[in-house]
């Protein structure tokens, strides 16, 4: 398991000269006498040891990004046009960072060796391989990879992180089992929502949540990795648009702050653990303000296994009961509906750490022309949900991928081909029939188009919703139909900045 999503939006590394230990390590040695080389090697080792000791004591040690680089990796990157359509894929070379320890530490060296192994390893593919439970946190595909993990841990005196427990409802309940009352400082002027997370036998954890600060909801991922374990969590940094700066909190904790457009990370190298907080910066709150909310002095204890088992089971049962509720996403306010969507992302991230939530925005618009505006939720630039109010609760239609056009025309735009290799486009309006509310209304079809796998285009001659594609047309004719509807550009806002509509 990697932590790619944490750094995909982060960029540029400063080209400042390294000082202290790094300067000594990297300075070229002209003399080639073997004794001199040995003395120099001993001196370098002493400097590294001193650096680690200072880090542990919190004295005269400043965490810098250069201390965390363990290699480089080419990462596939999807390209989109101005309308949000996928137009291709390219690769970008990123710096790979240790999220467990600084240069020279056992955790850093273990990360570096595992990265080199996985980059040179030829994956077997095929069906999912069922490893022993203590290896479930790792992306291992066979016994060879398990053996390599064991070898690395033995070499650097580290332990396997162990089988995780999952929380789906409220991580505060699990934090109590670790001896932690709260992730926030007692005087923090903020509200924390932490419904989902993964917790490990030694006290390490990953928590997914939302920090409400300065009237803005900031999504975050919080890693705490104990220094006696190895975990294959990496950070990735783009070398084009990233700033770094150091910050000392009011309670004396030295932090490294990384920031790019609307994304940030806060890193703390503590005596027995390494903290990494990845956060969306979509509002007015700064990284420094966010850093002052969290308590980076917390110490976690190994949870009681029986109590952790019981909490995981209770969490799972409550989540399953909620999923069986037909009104699970129906709420008395739009704000509560939106909060459910955000919590859903947090839940999925707890189940699949590599899950990257789509970019979500919203707008209000009278999409059916009945005089009442509906809530439109955009996913990566397309309308995915149209939500109205009926009988005092929210109600939505089916899932879409819509482009809103003039005269209340909507085009359901395919993301890709279906199982038959076909691209299908549905052009329609919502029927309101004078109804003042929107609640899963009937779609009034204008025309439907289909591009077959062989490149031929077809259209319907009937406006019946499920009419047959009975008329073959040219690609030029199909494009003329699609281009005849002019998209409307709405003023959207991030879903994390949601505000109820003005009455």
């Amino acid at each position: 398991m990697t932590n790619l999503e944490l750094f995909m939006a982060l960029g540029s590394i400063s080209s400042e000269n390294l000082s202290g230990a790094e300067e000594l390590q990297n300075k070229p040695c002209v003399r080639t006498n073997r004794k001199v080389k040995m003395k120099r090697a001993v001196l370098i080792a002493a400097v590294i040891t001193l650096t680690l000791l200072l880090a542990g004591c919190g004295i005269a040690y400043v965490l810098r990004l250069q201390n965390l680089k363990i290699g480089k990796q080419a990462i596939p990157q999807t390209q989109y046009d101005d309308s949000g359509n996928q137009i291709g894929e390219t690769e970008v070379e990123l710096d790979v960072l240790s999220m467990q320890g600084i240069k020279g530490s056992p955790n850093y060296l273990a990360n570096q060796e595992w990265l080199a192994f996985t980059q040179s390893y030829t994956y077997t593919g095929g069906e999912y391989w069922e490893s022993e439970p203590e290896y479930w946190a790792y992306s291992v595909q066979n016994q060879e990879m398990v053996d390599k993990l064991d070898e690395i841990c033995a070499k650097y005196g580290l332990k396997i992180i162990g089988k995780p427990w999952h929380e789906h409802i409220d991580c505060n309940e699990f934090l109590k089992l670790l001896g932690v009352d709260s992730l926030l400082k007692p005087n923090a002027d903020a509200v924390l929502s932490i419904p989902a997370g993964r917790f490990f036998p030694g006290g390490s954890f990953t928590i997914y949540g939302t920090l409400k600060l300065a009237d803005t909801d900031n999504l975050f991922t919080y890693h705490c990795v104990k220094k006696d374990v190895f975990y294959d969590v990496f950070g990735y940094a783009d070398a084009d648009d990233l700033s770094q700066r150091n910050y000392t909190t009011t309670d004396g904790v030295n932090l490294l702050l990384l920031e790019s457009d609307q994304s940030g990370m806060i890193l703390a190298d503590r005596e027995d653990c390494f903290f990494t907080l990845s956060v969306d910066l979509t509002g007015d709150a700064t990284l420094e303000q966010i850093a002052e909310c969290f308590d980076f002095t917390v110490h976690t204890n190994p949870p009681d296994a029986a109590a952790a088992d019981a909490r995981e089971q209770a969490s799972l049962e409550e989540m399953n009961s909620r999923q069986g509720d037909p009104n699970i996403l129906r709420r008395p306010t739009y704000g509560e509906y939106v909060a459910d969507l955000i919590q859903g992302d947090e839940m999925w991230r707890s189940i699949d750490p590599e899950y990257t939530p789509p970019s979500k925005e919203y707008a209000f618009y009278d999409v059916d022309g009945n005089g009442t505006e509906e809530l439109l939720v955009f996913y990566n630039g397309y309308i995915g949900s149209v939500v109205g109010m009926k009988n005092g609760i929210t109600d939505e239609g089916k899932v879409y991928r819509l482009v809103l056009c003039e005269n209340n025309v909507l085009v359901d735009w395919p993301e890709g081909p279906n199982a038959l290799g076909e691209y299908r486009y549905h052009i329609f309006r919502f029927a309101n029939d004078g109804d003042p509310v929107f609640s899963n209304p009937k779609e009034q079809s204008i025309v439907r188009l289909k591009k077959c796998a062989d490149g031929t285009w077809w259209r319907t001659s009937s406006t019946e919703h499920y009419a047959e594609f009975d008329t073959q047309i040219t690609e030029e004719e199909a494009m003329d139909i699609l281009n005849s509807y002019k998209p409307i550009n709405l003023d959207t806002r991030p879903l994390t900045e949601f505000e109820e509509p003005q009455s």
Side-chain angles (χ1 to χ4, degrees):
M1 187 278 289
T2 65
N3 202 23
L4 173 59
E5 70 275 8
L6 300 186
F7 267 92
M8 284 303 293
L10 293 175
S12 157
I13 300 172
S14 303
S15 56
E16 302 174 12
N17 293 328
L18 302 183
S19 60
E22 285 191 324
E23 182 177 358
L24 180 58
Q25 294 172 56
N26 296 329
K27 185 176 179 180
C29 181
V30 178
R31 300 180 65 179
T32 59
N33 181 277
R34 184 171 182 271
K35 183 179 293 186
V36 173
K37 285 185 178 179
M38 291 180 64
K39 288 182 178 179
R40 178 176 171 78
V42 172
L43 179 59
I44 290 174
V47 170
I48 293 175
T49 302
L50 177 60
T51 302
L52 296 176
L53 288 174
L54 292 177
C57 298
I59 302 173
Y61 165 66
V62 178
L63 181 62
R64 302 294 290 171
L65 197 57
Q66 289 87 344
N67 299 111
L68 302 174
K69 295 182 187 179
I70 58 176
K72 290 185 176 291
Q73 186 165 329
I75 301 296
Q77 191 171 66
T78 303
Q79 295 177 307
Y80 298 90
D81 60 21
D82 294 338
S83 301
N85 298 314
Q86 182 175 333
I87 59 175
E89 191 171 81
T90 186
E91 283 192 343
V92 58
E93 188 173 62
L94 303 179
D95 289 310
V96 186
L97 311 177
S98 164
M99 294 289 96
Q100 299 175 51
I102 64 169
K103 183 180 293 185
S105 68
N107 307 82
Y108 175 98
L109 296 172
N111 267 260
Q112 192 173 50
E113 186 166 334
W114 180 252
L115 175 67
F117 169 76
T118 55
Q119 286 180 333
S120 63
Y121 187 75
T122 301
Y123 287 88
T124 56
E127 298 296 326
Y128 171 76
W129 185 69
E130 183 71 23
S131 66
E132 292 298 319
E134 58 264 34
Y135 297 96
W136 285 356
Y138 304 91
S139 299
V140 291
Q141 290 192 344
N142 51 39
Q143 188 61 42
E144 182 182 358
M145 298 186 77
V146 168
D147 292 342
K148 185 62 178 181
L149 275 174
D150 289 338
E151 175 190 325
I152 289 175
C153 287
K155 181 176 181 180
Y156 297 105
L158 302 174
K159 297 182 293 188
I160 293 294
I161 198 167
K163 176 188 173 183
W165 292 283
H166 293 81
E167 172 65 49
H168 306 292
I169 304 300
D170 182 6
C171 285
N172 287 300
E173 295 301 314
F174 232 115
L175 285 172
K176 294 176 183 177
L177 303 181
L178 306 183
V180 176
D181 294 329
S182 175
L183 296 180
L184 298 181
K185 296 177 182 177
N187 60 347
D189 186 20
V191 178
L192 202 62
S193 171
I194 47 175
R198 288 154 47 102
F199 299 83
F200 297 93
S204 299
F205 64 79
T206 299
I207 286 177
Y208 309 92
T210 305
L211 176 74
K212 189 173 186 60
L213 177 66
D215 296 324
T216 301
D217 291 330
N218 301 97
L219 291 173
F220 68 83
T221 302
Y222 195 141
H223 284 288
C224 168
V225 181
K226 301 300 282 286
K227 291 187 175 181
D228 62 345
V229 299
F230 169 68
Y231 194 21
D232 59 343
V233 174
F234 301 136
Y236 294 82
D238 196 336
D240 293 328
D241 187 27
L242 173 67
S243 65
Q244 66 167 315
R245 59 189 184 273
N246 289 104
Y247 178 74
T248 302
T249 63
T250 54
D251 54 348
V253 179
N254 296 321
L255 304 175
L256 174 63
L257 308 184
L258 308 178
E259 185 172 358
S260 71
D261 184 31
Q262 294 191 333
S263 296
M265 291 198 76
I266 301 171
L267 303 99
D269 186 14
R270 304 296 294 164
E271 290 81 0
D272 67 340
C273 60
F274 200 105
F275 291 113
T276 306
L277 178 68
S278 172
V279 61
D280 293 338
L281 300 174
T282 55
D284 296 330
T286 66
L287 271 181
E288 286 82 359
Q289 290 173 319
I290 293 172
E292 289 295 351
C293 293
F294 285 88
D295 182 4
F296 293 103
T297 68
V298 295
H299 175 79
T300 63
N301 298 315
D304 177 77
D309 287 341
R311 178 56 215 169
E312 182 181 51
Q313 183 62 29
S315 169
L316 181 62
E317 290 175 357
E318 185 171 350
M319 183 187 71
N320 289 336
S321 68
R322 292 184 181 186
Q323 290 180 337
D325 181 0
N327 293 319
I328 182 63
L329 286 180
R330 296 181 178 180
R331 295 290 181 261
T333 66
Y334 286 119
E336 292 171 90
Y337 173 88
V338 168
D340 283 342
L341 292 183
I342 294 173
Q343 180 171 331
D345 279 340
E346 295 162 354
M347 182 194 74
W348 282 113
R349 287 195 294 171
S350 74
I351 297 173
D352 180 7
E354 296 189 10
Y355 167 72
T356 301
S359 172
K360 293 190 180 72
E361 297 179 310
Y362 79 95
F364 284 94
Y365 188 83
D366 182 10
V367 73
D368 58 347
N370 65 356
T372 301
E373 291 187 334
E374 288 77 41
L375 169 64
L376 309 183
V377 182
F378 291 76
Y379 297 78
N380 293 335
Y382 289 85
I383 300 171
S385 300
V386 181
V387 188
M389 300 290 292
K390 187 171 186 178
N391 299 327
I393 58 175
T394 58
D395 200 6
E396 66 176 346
K398 64 183 184 181
V399 175
Y400 296 97
R401 195 169 185 266
L402 301 178
V403 174
L404 175 64
C405 300
E406 296 175 353
N407 301 316
N408 289 91
V409 173
L410 298 120
V411 181
D412 199 355
W413 204 275
E415 184 175 10
N418 60 20
L420 299 176
E422 302 171 340
Y423 291 80
R424 296 194 176 201
Y425 304 79
H426 187 201
I427 303 170
F428 67 95
R429 291 186 179 90
F430 283 119
N432 64 62
D433 300 323
D435 192 343
V437 298
F438 179 96
S439 178
N440 201 13
K442 182 179 179 181
E443 300 165 4
Q444 289 185 327
S445 182
I446 298 173
V447 64
R448 292 165 61 237
L449 303 175
K450 177 178 71 170
K451 180 184 178 181
C452 295
D454 62 5
T456 58
W457 282 85
W458 296 78
R459 61 161 292 170
T460 57
S461 58
S462 169
T463 57
E464 290 296 322
H465 185 67
Y466 295 106
E468 294 292 328
F469 295 96
D470 55 5
T471 305
Q472 186 172 351
I473 59 176
T474 66
E475 183 172 0
E476 182 180 3
E477 289 173 322
M479 292 301 103
D480 286 343
I481 294 173
L482 288 172
N483 293 332
S484 66
Y485 300 98
K486 306 302 180 185
I488 294 176
N489 293 320
L490 296 179
D491 184 17
T492 61
R493 296 181 61 189
L495 203 63
T496 53
E497 298 178 15
F498 181 81
E499 294 180 0
E500 293 284 354
Q502 299 294 325
S503 57

